[in-house]
Amino acid sequence: MNSTQDTAVQTLDTEDVAHTEARHAASAVPTGLSPRLYNRDLAPTRREGRSWTAYSIFTLWANDVHSLGNYAFAIGLFALGLGGWQVLAALGVGAALLFALLTLSGFMGQKTGVPFPVMSRIAFGIHGAQIAALIRGGVAVAWFGIQTYLASVVLRVLLIAVFPDLKPFDEGSILGLSALGWMAFVALWIVQVVIVSYGMEMIRKYEAFAGPVILATMAALAIWMFSQAGFSIAWNTGHELSGGDMWLKVLGGGALWVSIYGTFVLNFCDFTRSARSKKSIVKGNFWGIPINMLLFGTITVVLVGAQFKINGHIIGSPSDIVASIPNTFLLSAASTALLVLTVAVNLMANFVAPTYALTNLFPRRLNFRRAALVSAVIGLVILPWNLYNNPAVIEYFLGGLGALLGPLFGVIMADYWLVRRGRVNVPALYSEARDGTYHYARGINPKAIAALIPAAAVALVIGFVPVLAPLSSFTWFFGAGIAAVNFYFLADRKCTFEDVEGEAIAVPSVH
């Protein structure tokens, strides 16, 4: 080997050693912190280099607000007897509340730079936080599988429309799905796993791409239906409510709109921990929630009103309209857009939360990529189409877990904003020292549990006892409010709280 080759080999060896040392340094746990609580995915993000702008946050809502499930909910308000302007009023009430709640929740992530499971340690303790993270993650992982299944149904319809010869493969059943159903589900499952395996930055890029596609598609669908109805629509279905009943439905609709986002108001910090500033959160939320929801409501009113004028029927979902498009090319384009939408919603609402929850549970064994794969496998092996087709599972199991989200939010927000006034010792969130700020009693804050349990019990009773059905729309608010009040009076409000940033133990936002 000549001297030039020797030099080249030495250079490569030096680079390999440097890269290895960098990886070891990156994975090392800072002195004084616990490997049971800290890894690079749970660590706070550095302020410098954060990449989530107002547009990034806006596109989260551009995708999530226009989900098929939300359209089905808004369309259902017409079936309850609300007219067009009343539906818009209900969505407006919900949007105003959500803007406030999500902005407060987002500020927490932007200041501390930590994901939701770590944020929960502030109120519940370094180990008690597992309760909050697993409840949030448990709801999400089930819905991840269900939403992937619903998207696979759209894909099956699209494939058969474009390739009619595939029709025979959509017959029969293997564990509840046809051969084509399995192929569609697994294909979408793989796409989502690949996207998430590249981390939060790839999710940001996907949401930024999908947002404009969805807005353009839904607006085009509304314009097309408006033209089909002769450029006028029916503003109600002929059974419009009035007086007290109407306002109860309007307020109830707004409350349910907040409940739908009960998951997101909890773990919004998973996204805003990479936000550049509070201003970007406010601006992104403003355009993404009240303004975008006004557009969403307008599209809903046009779709429902146009269809009702055409044939006197109320559609169940925009996918019903897409399926009726006579042109195969346009039907394919619209169906593809719905698939892009469903994947975008699933990634942000149902994939990130369980991934962080599992990372928090096994920080020494799981990083973000591995935890995402485990979450996805769980979402597959539970055969989610069987869950979706079982009303008891949806209502009692997922509904029961969902009823706990309000009380969790109440405890966390009361502790952060009312008791601590936003003062957090970030490094202490990763310490198992017995005298640590968030050690409490063996890592669990008994006062948070004491505040949570009665609020959760009330939420479950209101949600499931038939005689209390008129109050069921407000379950999330009862749970959150009772838990917040309980915690406020149980907590030691005279304590002096340290405010210590986490820059010394932070990692790059993109890693």
Side-chain angles (χ1 to χ4, degrees):
M1 185 179 292
N2 59 38
S3 60
T4 302
Q5 290 174 319
D6 288 339
T7 302
V9 170
Q10 290 173 359
T11 301
L12 289 174
D13 288 343
T14 302
E15 289 178 351
D16 287 341
V17 170
H19 289 158
T20 300
E21 290 176 348
R23 285 196 297 271
H24 287 166
S27 61
V29 177
T31 303
L33 305 189
S34 170
R36 296 175 60 192
L37 301 173
Y38 181 98
N39 68 17
R40 282 180 63 77
D41 295 301
L42 297 175
T45 56
R46 289 179 190 157
R47 293 189 176 278
E48 184 180 357
R50 292 184 180 180
S51 56
W52 286 67
T53 63
Y55 177 76
S56 305
I57 293 169
F58 162 73
T59 55
L60 284 181
W61 307 126
N63 289 301
D64 193 71
V65 169
H66 292 270
S67 71
L68 295 181
N70 283 351
Y71 274 106
F73 164 76
I75 290 168
L77 296 178
F78 283 91
L80 293 176
L82 297 183
W85 75 267
Q86 295 156 349
V87 170
L88 291 176
L91 296 178
V93 169
L97 292 169
L98 280 173
F99 175 74
L101 295 174
L102 284 163
T103 298
L104 288 174
S105 180
F107 283 174
M108 294 162 63
Q110 192 276 332
K111 177 181 178 177
T112 61
V114 303
F116 173 68
V118 178
M119 186 73 70
S120 303
R121 296 173 188 173
I122 301 171
F124 286 92
I126 53 174
H127 299 314
Q130 299 289 6
I131 299 170
L134 290 176
I135 289 174
R136 174 64 183 96
V139 173
V141 74
W143 280 111
F144 162 75
I146 291 171
Q147 291 289 348
T148 302
Y149 161 66
L150 294 177
S152 73
V153 173
V154 176
L155 181 56
R156 282 163 50 199
V157 172
L158 172 61
L159 291 173
I160 292 173
V162 178
F163 307 105
D165 291 342
L166 292 176
K167 179 66 175 176
F169 293 96
D170 200 32
E171 299 171 356
S173 175
I174 305 170
L175 295 177
L177 281 186
S178 66
L180 184 62
W182 270 104
M183 288 187 284
F185 181 89
V186 171
L188 290 171
W189 185 88
I190 291 173
V191 167
Q192 293 174 96
V193 169
V194 169
I195 293 173
V196 172
S197 70
Y198 284 94
M200 292 296 290
E201 181 65 8
M202 181 58 74
I203 293 177
R204 181 186 70 82
K205 292 177 179 178
Y206 182 84
E207 300 291 335
F209 152 75
V213 172
I214 299 313
L215 291 176
T217 300
M218 300 311 297
L221 196 61
I223 292 170
W224 180 71
M225 281 298 293
F226 191 51
S227 67
Q228 294 294 303
F231 298 98
S232 65
I233 62 172
W235 279 89
N236 59 70
T237 59
H239 302 285
E240 193 173 8
L241 295 174
S242 61
D245 288 342
M246 178 200 71
W247 286 111
L248 183 61
K249 294 294 184 184
V250 168
L251 295 176
L256 285 173
W257 193 228
V258 174
S259 299
I260 288 173
Y261 285 88
T263 53
F264 234 123
V265 294
L266 267 179
N267 75 304
F268 191 33
C269 57
D270 287 343
F271 303 91
T272 59
R273 65 190 294 238
S274 294
R276 292 180 177 175
S277 65
K278 288 184 177 180
K279 183 178 179 181
S280 65
I281 295 172
V282 173
K283 189 175 179 181
N285 279 351
F286 175 74
W287 288 101
I289 301 176
I291 302 302
N292 182 43
M293 285 182 179
L294 177 62
L295 175 63
F296 164 82
T298 301
I299 290 173
T300 302
V301 169
V302 171
L303 292 178
V304 175
Q307 184 67 51
F308 193 82
K309 183 182 178 185
I310 291 171
N311 59 14
H313 294 294
I314 299 176
I315 61 171
S317 166
S319 57
D320 297 341
I321 294 175
V322 170
S324 68
I325 296 175
N327 183 289
T328 302
F329 173 77
L330 294 178
L331 183 147
S332 300
S335 297
T336 301
L338 292 183
L339 288 174
V340 170
L341 165 65
T342 305
V343 168
V345 172
N346 222 13
L347 289 174
M348 61 187 286
N350 301 318
F351 214 158
V352 172
T355 297
Y356 274 127
L358 286 169
T359 304
N360 187 58
L361 195 60
F362 305 106
R364 287 182 288 191
R365 298 181 180 274
L366 296 178
N367 57 19
F368 192 88
R369 176 176 291 187
R370 292 172 190 161
L373 182 58
V374 173
S375 299
V377 169
I378 295 172
L380 171 63
V381 299
I382 61 176
L383 303 180
W385 44 90
N386 292 330
L387 296 182
Y388 182 73
N389 293 323
N390 187 333
V393 171
I394 297 294
E395 182 175 357
Y396 293 106
F397 176 66
L398 293 179
L401 284 178
L404 303 180
L405 298 178
L408 285 173
F409 181 79
V411 169
I412 291 170
M413 297 296 280
D415 177 66
Y416 185 93
W417 290 110
L418 300 180
V419 177
R420 299 179 184 277
R421 310 270 181 173
R423 295 187 292 272
V424 179
N425 184 339
V426 176
L429 293 170
Y430 303 92
S431 170
E432 287 191 278
R434 291 183 178 275
D435 59 350
T437 305
Y438 307 105
H439 190 271
Y440 298 113
R442 297 183 179 181
I444 299 173
N445 184 0
K447 293 181 179 179
I449 304 300
L452 178 73
I453 291 175
V458 171
L460 289 170
V461 169
I462 293 175
F464 292 111
V465 175
V467 71
L468 298 176
L471 299 176
S472 61
S473 298
F474 305 94
T475 299
W476 188 91
F477 289 93
F478 277 109
I482 292 171
V485 171
N486 287 347
F487 188 84
Y488 182 77
F489 285 106
L490 287 172
D492 183 359
R493 300 189 302 281
K494 296 180 181 179
C495 220
T496 301
F497 299 104
E498 288 186 292
D499 194 25
V500 183
E501 65 177 19
E503 284 294 303
I505 61 169
V507 299
S509 177
V510 180
H511 55 275

Short mmCIF file of all heavy atoms in Angstrom, two decimals, residues 25-69:
data_model
loop_
_atom_site.label_atom_id
_atom_site.label_comp_id
_atom_site.label_asym_id
_atom_site.label_seq_id
_atom_site.Cartn_x
_atom_site.Cartn_y
_atom_site.Cartn_z
N ALA A 25 -21.17 10.14 22.77
CA ALA A 25 -21.43 11.37 23.53
C ALA A 25 -22.90 11.74 23.45
O ALA A 25 -23.50 12.20 24.42
CB ALA A 25 -20.57 12.51 22.99
N ALA A 26 -23.50 11.53 22.25
CA ALA A 26 -24.91 11.88 22.07
C ALA A 26 -25.82 11.00 22.91
O ALA A 26 -26.87 11.42 23.38
CB ALA A 26 -25.29 11.77 20.59
N SER A 27 -25.41 9.71 23.08
CA SER A 27 -26.28 8.78 23.80
C SER A 27 -26.02 8.81 25.31
O SER A 27 -26.74 8.21 26.08
CB SER A 27 -26.08 7.36 23.28
OG SER A 27 -24.74 6.94 23.47
N ALA A 28 -24.93 9.48 25.73
CA ALA A 28 -24.57 9.51 27.14
C ALA A 28 -25.60 10.31 27.93
O ALA A 28 -26.18 11.27 27.44
CB ALA A 28 -23.19 10.12 27.32
N VAL A 29 -25.80 9.87 29.18
CA VAL A 29 -26.72 10.57 30.07
C VAL A 29 -25.93 11.58 30.88
O VAL A 29 -24.92 11.22 31.51
CB VAL A 29 -27.43 9.56 31.00
CG1 VAL A 29 -28.34 10.31 31.97
CG2 VAL A 29 -28.22 8.55 30.20
N PRO A 30 -26.32 12.84 30.87
CA PRO A 30 -25.58 13.86 31.63
C PRO A 30 -25.46 13.49 33.12
O PRO A 30 -26.34 12.83 33.68
CB PRO A 30 -26.43 15.12 31.44
CG PRO A 30 -27.13 14.90 30.14
CD PRO A 30 -27.42 13.44 30.09
N THR A 31 -24.39 13.92 33.71
CA THR A 31 -24.12 13.63 35.12
C THR A 31 -25.28 14.10 36.01
O THR A 31 -25.79 15.21 35.87
CB THR A 31 -22.83 14.34 35.58
OG1 THR A 31 -21.76 13.93 34.73
CG2 THR A 31 -22.51 13.99 37.02
N GLY A 32 -25.69 13.20 36.91
CA GLY A 32 -26.75 13.53 37.85
C GLY A 32 -28.15 13.17 37.37
O GLY A 32 -29.11 13.23 38.14
N LEU A 33 -28.27 12.79 36.11
CA LEU A 33 -29.57 12.41 35.57
C LEU A 33 -29.70 10.89 35.49
O LEU A 33 -28.70 10.17 35.45
CB LEU A 33 -29.79 13.03 34.19
CG LEU A 33 -29.63 14.56 34.10
CD1 LEU A 33 -30.09 15.05 32.73
CD2 LEU A 33 -30.41 15.27 35.21
N SER A 34 -30.93 10.41 35.45
CA SER A 34 -31.17 8.97 35.47
C SER A 34 -31.41 8.42 34.06
O SER A 34 -32.20 8.98 33.30
CB SER A 34 -32.40 8.66 36.33
OG SER A 34 -32.79 7.31 36.18
N PRO A 35 -30.74 7.30 33.71
CA PRO A 35 -31.01 6.66 32.41
C PRO A 35 -32.41 6.08 32.32
O PRO A 35 -32.87 5.74 31.24
CB PRO A 35 -29.94 5.56 32.34
CG PRO A 35 -29.57 5.29 33.76
CD PRO A 35 -29.71 6.60 34.47
N ARG A 36 -33.09 5.98 33.47
CA ARG A 36 -34.49 5.53 33.46
C ARG A 36 -35.44 6.66 33.07
O ARG A 36 -36.62 6.43 32.84
CB ARG A 36 -34.88 4.99 34.83
CG ARG A 36 -34.11 3.76 35.27
CD ARG A 36 -34.47 3.38 36.69
NE ARG A 36 -35.91 3.07 36.83
CZ ARG A 36 -36.52 2.94 37.99
NH1 ARG A 36 -35.85 3.12 39.12
NH2 ARG A 36 -37.80 2.65 38.04
N LEU A 37 -34.90 7.88 33.01
CA LEU A 37 -35.74 9.04 32.73
C LEU A 37 -35.27 9.86 31.53
O LEU A 37 -36.03 10.70 31.04
CB LEU A 37 -35.78 9.96 33.96
CG LEU A 37 -36.30 9.36 35.28
CD1 LEU A 37 -36.10 10.34 36.41
CD2 LEU A 37 -37.75 8.95 35.14
N TYR A 38 -34.06 9.62 31.08
CA TYR A 38 -33.47 10.49 30.06
C TYR A 38 -32.94 9.68 28.89
O TYR A 38 -32.26 8.68 29.07
CB TYR A 38 -32.33 11.29 30.69
CG TYR A 38 -31.62 12.26 29.75
CD1 TYR A 38 -31.96 13.61 29.75
CD2 TYR A 38 -30.64 11.83 28.87
CE1 TYR A 38 -31.30 14.52 28.91
CE2 TYR A 38 -29.98 12.72 28.02
CZ TYR A 38 -30.32 14.06 28.05
OH TYR A 38 -29.68 14.95 27.21
N ASN A 39 -33.28 10.09 27.69
CA ASN A 39 -32.56 9.71 26.48
C ASN A 39 -32.72 10.86 25.48
O ASN A 39 -33.38 11.85 25.79
CB ASN A 39 -33.01 8.36 25.91
CG ASN A 39 -34.42 8.37 25.36
OD1 ASN A 39 -35.01 9.42 25.09
ND2 ASN A 39 -35.00 7.19 25.19
N ARG A 40 -32.15 10.74 24.31
CA ARG A 40 -32.15 11.88 23.38
C ARG A 40 -33.54 12.27 22.91
O ARG A 40 -33.77 13.42 22.55
CB ARG A 40 -31.26 11.56 22.16
CG ARG A 40 -29.78 11.70 22.48
CD ARG A 40 -28.93 11.38 21.28
NE ARG A 40 -29.13 12.27 20.15
CZ ARG A 40 -28.64 13.50 20.06
NH1 ARG A 40 -27.97 14.03 21.06
NH2 ARG A 40 -28.85 14.23 18.98
N ASP A 41 -34.47 11.33 22.91
CA ASP A 41 -35.82 11.65 22.44
C ASP A 41 -36.68 12.26 23.54
O ASP A 41 -37.67 12.94 23.24
CB ASP A 41 -36.48 10.40 21.88
CG ASP A 41 -35.78 9.89 20.63
OD1 ASP A 41 -35.70 10.66 19.65
OD2 ASP A 41 -35.28 8.76 20.64
N LEU A 42 -36.33 12.01 24.79
CA LEU A 42 -37.06 12.59 25.92
C LEU A 42 -36.42 13.88 26.43
O LEU A 42 -37.05 14.64 27.16
CB LEU A 42 -37.13 11.58 27.08
CG LEU A 42 -37.88 10.27 26.81
CD1 LEU A 42 -37.75 9.35 28.01
CD2 LEU A 42 -39.34 10.53 26.48
N ALA A 43 -35.17 14.12 26.02
CA ALA A 43 -34.44 15.31 26.48
C ALA A 43 -35.08 16.58 25.94
O ALA A 43 -35.74 16.56 24.89
CB ALA A 43 -32.98 15.23 26.02
N PRO A 44 -34.91 17.70 26.63
CA PRO A 44 -35.42 18.98 26.10
C PRO A 44 -34.68 19.36 24.82
O PRO A 44 -33.54 18.96 24.61
CB PRO A 44 -35.13 19.97 27.23
CG PRO A 44 -34.04 19.34 28.04
CD PRO A 44 -34.24 17.87 27.94
N THR A 45 -35.36 20.11 23.96
CA THR A 45 -34.74 20.55 22.71
C THR A 45 -34.07 21.91 22.91
O THR A 45 -34.56 22.76 23.65
CB THR A 45 -35.79 20.69 21.60
OG1 THR A 45 -36.83 21.57 22.04
CG2 THR A 45 -36.40 19.35 21.25
N ARG A 46 -32.93 22.09 22.24
CA ARG A 46 -32.25 23.38 22.30
C ARG A 46 -33.09 24.43 21.60
O ARG A 46 -33.79 24.16 20.62
CB ARG A 46 -30.90 23.28 21.59
CG ARG A 46 -29.87 22.46 22.34
CD ARG A 46 -28.57 22.40 21.56
NE ARG A 46 -27.66 21.43 22.14
CZ ARG A 46 -26.68 20.85 21.49
NH1 ARG A 46 -26.48 21.13 20.20
NH2 ARG A 46 -25.89 19.98 22.10
N ARG A 47 -33.00 25.65 22.10
CA ARG A 47 -33.76 26.74 21.48
C ARG A 47 -33.20 27.07 20.10
O ARG A 47 -33.96 27.34 19.17
CB ARG A 47 -33.72 27.98 22.38
CG ARG A 47 -34.47 27.78 23.68
CD ARG A 47 -34.62 29.06 24.47
NE ARG A 47 -35.42 28.82 25.66
CZ ARG A 47 -36.75 28.78 25.69
NH1 ARG A 47 -37.42 28.97 24.56
NH2 ARG A 47 -37.41 28.56 26.80
N GLU A 48 -31.90 27.04 19.98
CA GLU A 48 -31.28 27.32 18.68
C GLU A 48 -31.52 26.13 17.74
O GLU A 48 -31.28 24.98 18.11
CB GLU A 48 -29.78 27.55 18.85
CG GLU A 48 -29.09 27.94 17.55
CD GLU A 48 -27.60 28.18 17.74
OE1 GLU A 48 -27.13 28.10 18.90
OE2 GLU A 48 -26.93 28.45 16.74
N GLY A 49 -32.01 26.41 16.56
CA GLY A 49 -32.21 25.36 15.57
C GLY A 49 -33.61 24.77 15.55
O GLY A 49 -33.89 23.86 14.77
N ARG A 50 -34.52 25.27 16.40
CA ARG A 50 -35.90 24.77 16.35
C ARG A 50 -36.52 25.13 15.00
O ARG A 50 -36.36 26.26 14.53
CB ARG A 50 -36.72 25.33 17.49
CG ARG A 50 -36.29 24.80 18.86
CD ARG A 50 -37.19 25.32 19.97
NE ARG A 50 -36.78 24.80 21.27
CZ ARG A 50 -37.39 25.08 22.41
NH1 ARG A 50 -38.45 25.88 22.42
NH2 ARG A 50 -36.97 24.55 23.55
N SER A 51 -37.25 24.17 14.41
CA SER A 51 -37.66 24.33 13.01
C SER A 51 -39.16 24.50 12.80
O SER A 51 -39.60 24.73 11.67
CB SER A 51 -37.19 23.11 12.20
OG SER A 51 -37.68 21.91 12.78
N TRP A 52 -39.98 24.41 13.86
CA TRP A 52 -41.43 24.51 13.68
C TRP A 52 -41.85 25.98 13.69
O TRP A 52 -41.77 26.66 14.70
CB TRP A 52 -42.16 23.73 14.77
CG TRP A 52 -42.07 22.25 14.54
CD1 TRP A 52 -40.94 21.48 14.63
CD2 TRP A 52 -43.14 21.36 14.21
NE1 TRP A 52 -41.25 20.18 14.34
CE2 TRP A 52 -42.58 20.07 14.09
CE3 TRP A 52 -44.51 21.54 13.99
CZ2 TRP A 52 -43.36 18.95 13.76
CZ3 TRP A 52 -45.28 20.43 13.67
CH2 TRP A 52 -44.71 19.15 13.56
N THR A 53 -42.30 26.45 12.54
CA THR A 53 -42.74 27.83 12.37
C THR A 53 -44.25 27.92 12.52
O THR A 53 -44.94 26.91 12.73
CB THR A 53 -42.34 28.34 10.97
OG1 THR A 53 -43.04 27.54 9.98
CG2 THR A 53 -40.84 28.22 10.75
N ALA A 54 -44.77 29.12 12.37
CA ALA A 54 -46.23 29.31 12.40
C ALA A 54 -46.89 28.50 11.29
O ALA A 54 -47.97 27.91 11.48
CB ALA A 54 -46.57 30.79 12.24
N TYR A 55 -46.24 28.43 10.12
CA TYR A 55 -46.79 27.64 9.01
C TYR A 55 -46.82 26.15 9.37
O TYR A 55 -47.79 25.45 9.05
CB TYR A 55 -45.96 27.85 7.74
CG TYR A 55 -46.45 27.00 6.58
CD1 TYR A 55 -47.60 27.34 5.88
CD2 TYR A 55 -45.76 25.85 6.20
CE1 TYR A 55 -48.07 26.56 4.83
CE2 TYR A 55 -46.21 25.05 5.15
CZ TYR A 55 -47.36 25.42 4.47
OH TYR A 55 -47.82 24.63 3.44
N SER A 56 -45.79 25.66 10.05
CA SER A 56 -45.75 24.26 10.46
C SER A 56 -46.94 23.93 11.35
O SER A 56 -47.59 22.89 11.19
CB SER A 56 -44.45 23.95 11.20
OG SER A 56 -43.32 24.29 10.44
N ILE A 57 -47.22 24.82 12.31
CA ILE A 57 -48.33 24.59 13.22
C ILE A 57 -49.67 24.74 12.51
O ILE A 57 -50.61 23.96 12.73
CB ILE A 57 -48.22 25.55 14.42
CG1 ILE A 57 -46.97 25.18 15.24
CG2 ILE A 57 -49.47 25.50 15.29
CD1 ILE A 57 -46.58 26.19 16.28
N PHE A 58 -49.75 25.72 11.60
CA PHE A 58 -50.97 25.89 10.82
C PHE A 58 -51.29 24.62 10.03
O PHE A 58 -52.45 24.19 9.97
CB PHE A 58 -50.83 27.08 9.87
CG PHE A 58 -51.82 27.08 8.75
CD1 PHE A 58 -53.15 27.39 8.98
CD2 PHE A 58 -51.44 26.75 7.45
CE1 PHE A 58 -54.09 27.37 7.95
CE2 PHE A 58 -52.36 26.73 6.42
CZ PHE A 58 -53.70 27.04 6.67
N THR A 59 -50.28 24.00 9.40
CA THR A 59 -50.54 22.81 8.58
C THR A 59 -50.96 21.62 9.43
O THR A 59 -51.64 20.72 8.92
CB THR A 59 -49.33 22.45 7.71
OG1 THR A 59 -48.17 22.29 8.54
CG2 THR A 59 -49.07 23.51 6.66
N LEU A 60 -50.56 21.58 10.71
CA LEU A 60 -51.10 20.54 11.59
C LEU A 60 -52.62 20.60 11.60
O LEU A 60 -53.31 19.60 11.44
CB LEU A 60 -50.58 20.73 13.02
CG LEU A 60 -49.15 20.34 13.36
CD1 LEU A 60 -48.90 20.60 14.84
CD2 LEU A 60 -48.87 18.89 13.03
N TRP A 61 -53.12 21.83 11.81
CA TRP A 61 -54.58 22.01 11.88
C TRP A 61 -55.22 21.92 10.50
O TRP A 61 -56.36 21.46 10.39
CB TRP A 61 -54.90 23.34 12.54
CG TRP A 61 -54.23 23.51 13.86
CD1 TRP A 61 -53.43 24.54 14.26
CD2 TRP A 61 -54.29 22.61 14.98
NE1 TRP A 61 -52.98 24.34 15.54
CE2 TRP A 61 -53.49 23.16 16.00
CE3 TRP A 61 -54.93 21.39 15.19
CZ2 TRP A 61 -53.32 22.53 17.23
CZ3 TRP A 61 -54.76 20.76 16.42
CH2 TRP A 61 -53.97 21.33 17.41
N ALA A 62 -54.51 22.37 9.46
CA ALA A 62 -55.06 22.26 8.10
C ALA A 62 -55.37 20.81 7.77
O ALA A 62 -56.33 20.51 7.06
CB ALA A 62 -54.07 22.84 7.08
N ASN A 63 -54.56 19.90 8.31
CA ASN A 63 -54.81 18.47 8.10
C ASN A 63 -55.84 17.93 9.08
O ASN A 63 -56.83 17.32 8.69
CB ASN A 63 -53.49 17.69 8.24
CG ASN A 63 -52.55 17.93 7.09
OD1 ASN A 63 -52.88 17.67 5.94
ND2 ASN A 63 -51.37 18.44 7.37
N ASP A 64 -55.61 18.17 10.37
CA ASP A 64 -56.42 17.50 11.37
C ASP A 64 -57.87 17.99 11.38
O ASP A 64 -58.79 17.19 11.54
CB ASP A 64 -55.81 17.70 12.75
CG ASP A 64 -56.42 16.77 13.78
OD1 ASP A 64 -56.15 15.56 13.71
OD2 ASP A 64 -57.18 17.25 14.64
N VAL A 65 -58.08 19.28 11.23
CA VAL A 65 -59.44 19.81 11.26
C VAL A 65 -60.28 19.22 10.14
O VAL A 65 -61.47 18.94 10.31
CB VAL A 65 -59.42 21.35 11.18
CG1 VAL A 65 -60.82 21.90 10.93
CG2 VAL A 65 -58.86 21.94 12.47
N HIS A 66 -59.66 19.00 8.98
CA HIS A 66 -60.41 18.52 7.82
C HIS A 66 -60.43 17.00 7.72
O HIS A 66 -60.61 16.44 6.63
CB HIS A 66 -59.83 19.12 6.54
CG HIS A 66 -60.05 20.59 6.44
ND1 HIS A 66 -61.16 21.16 5.82
CD2 HIS A 66 -59.33 21.65 6.90
CE1 HIS A 66 -61.09 22.47 5.91
NE2 HIS A 66 -59.98 22.80 6.56
N SER A 67 -60.25 16.31 8.85
CA SER A 67 -60.30 14.85 8.84
C SER A 67 -61.72 14.37 8.56
O SER A 67 -62.70 15.08 8.82
CB SER A 67 -59.84 14.29 10.19
OG SER A 67 -60.80 14.54 11.19
N LEU A 68 -61.83 13.16 8.03
CA LEU A 68 -63.15 12.61 7.70
C LEU A 68 -64.00 12.45 8.96
O LEU A 68 -65.22 12.64 8.92
CB LEU A 68 -62.98 11.26 7.00
CG LEU A 68 -62.29 11.31 5.63
CD1 LEU A 68 -62.21 9.91 5.03
CD2 LEU A 68 -63.04 12.24 4.68
N GLY A 69 -63.35 12.12 10.08
CA GLY A 69 -64.10 11.98 11.33
C GLY A 69 -64.72 13.30 11.77
O GLY A 69 -65.86 13.34 12.24
#
